[in-house]
Amino acid sequence: MRKPILAANWKMHKTISEAVAFADAFLPLVAGVTNAEIVLAPPFPQLASVAAALRGSRVLLAAQNVHPEKHGAYTGEVSPTMLTDVGCRYAIVGHSERRHIFGESSAFVARKAASLLAHDLLPIVCVGETLDEREADRTFAVLEDQLNGSLVEVPDARAAEVVIAYEPVWAIGTGRTATPAIAQEAHAMIRGWLQKRFGATGDAMRIQYGGSVKPDNVAELMAQPDIDGALVGGASLEAASFAAIARYQENSK
Ligand code: 13P
């Protein structure tokens, strides 16, 4: 049984006071959610304040990125040990904005994922095709390539701790959500790849969908057999909206 995981990726939004106000408003709204993991990923400077605000709750903290090295001359970067120190449990790696805007390769994503596992952090590894790639019928080839490259350093014994996020680039921030059927088709392909690579562990690994997830479409996405969670951008910026997403099970009976 895969525990659903609903994560908020705030991207480059919110000051410290806005982030803490979110946490204060959000926690009472999700206090009753016990059968899903809820994760907040603020920008780096807000992590410590959000960690303090979340203390004593079940909501977990994530970073939006990490550098694979533990320390050193890497101006502007943040190490996995710094993330554990500030209270993170997860870190997102390979987000399409990092791949496409900042030119990150799957090989670099692979180093980050492996380093997170080595430092007791859980990676959320993002994959997803662009619109051009989908229209050229290359979706599965692109996903396979990204999975091959990004997970190459994950030891078999640690695979169950890795979360995959399928985020079709054409659905991110566009209001154009993949239909549940389109999302499930990609998730099933990813599941097949995970099973081939990690054997039975592939069944236990969680695959989130991301791309214009909203309170009114989350339940039908989560009803798909291979969709185990959501990675939410825009709709995670308001406490009530992300709480409604985190509480989707109340509306999906
Ligand atoms: P939106 O929910 O704003 O489409 O963003 C999705 C995303 O990129 C989450 O990582």
Side-chain angles (χ1 to χ4, degrees):
M1 187 58 194
R2 299 184 292 260
K3 191 171 193 177
I5 172 166
L6 294 310
N9 175 9
W10 286 350
K11 308 190 179 183
M12 199 170 70
H13 293 285
K14 292 194 189 295
T15 61
I16 289 176
S17 60
E18 288 166 349
V20 170
F22 178 105
D24 291 345
F26 180 69
L27 289 179
L29 299 176
V30 296
V33 179
T34 52
N35 48 357
E37 264 185 274
I38 304 174
V39 181
L40 300 183
F44 290 130
Q46 285 74 306
L47 285 172
S49 307
V50 175
L54 296 181
R55 203 156 291 142
S57 80
R58 275 188 295 263
V59 177
L60 299 167
L61 192 64
Q64 297 175 18
N65 191 19
V66 68
H67 190 277
E69 296 299 329
K70 208 165 141 185
H71 44 66
Y74 300 101
T75 301
E77 295 294 320
V78 174
S79 77
T81 44
M82 294 171 187
L83 297 184
T84 41
D85 188 45
V86 77
C88 287
R89 186 77 190 106
Y90 285 93
I92 300 169
V93 293
H95 191 279
S96 65
E97 287 148 20
R98 300 237 42 104
R99 291 178 187 268
H100 296 293
I101 304 173
F102 302 101
E104 287 190 9
S105 65
S106 287
F108 195 34
V109 175
R111 284 180 57 206
K112 296 177 183 210
S115 178
L116 289 169
L117 290 170
H119 293 94
D120 285 327
L121 286 153
L122 309 180
I124 296 176
V125 180
C126 304
V127 294
E129 81 287 0
T130 64
L131 186 58
D132 282 355
E133 290 163 343
R134 175 162 284 270
E135 287 177 344
D137 229 355
R138 296 192 49 234
T139 298
F140 284 9
V142 168
L143 295 179
E144 194 171 341
D145 197 50
Q146 292 178 342
L147 290 164
N148 277 327
S150 308
L151 301 182
V152 68
E153 295 188 37
V154 172
D156 287 11
R158 306 293 303 277
E161 297 163 69
V162 176
V163 176
I164 307 297
Y166 169 62
E167 298 207 307
V169 178
W170 47 271
I172 294 177
T174 58
R176 192 179 156 188
T177 324
T179 62
I182 288 177
Q184 167 57 27
E185 186 186 42
H187 281 236
M189 179 259 145
I190 293 168
R191 177 80 58 212
W193 188 94
L194 295 172
Q195 288 164 333
K196 214 163 105 192
R197 169 75 167 75
F198 297 114
T201 306
D203 288 323
M205 293 175 71
R206 294 174 298 174
I207 311 173
Q208 296 177 302
Y209 168 78
S212 298
V213 174
K214 305 275 184 267
D216 62 5
N217 62 25
V218 61
E220 54 176 358
L221 286 161
M222 292 298 294
Q224 300 302 309
D226 289 297
I227 299 185
D228 311 308
L231 184 55
V232 188
S236 76
L237 293 171
E238 295 288 332
S241 161
F242 188 53
I245 290 171
R247 293 167 59 164
Y248 74 94
Q249 292 175 84
E250 294 170 20
N251 303 317
S252 50
K253 296 289 173 304

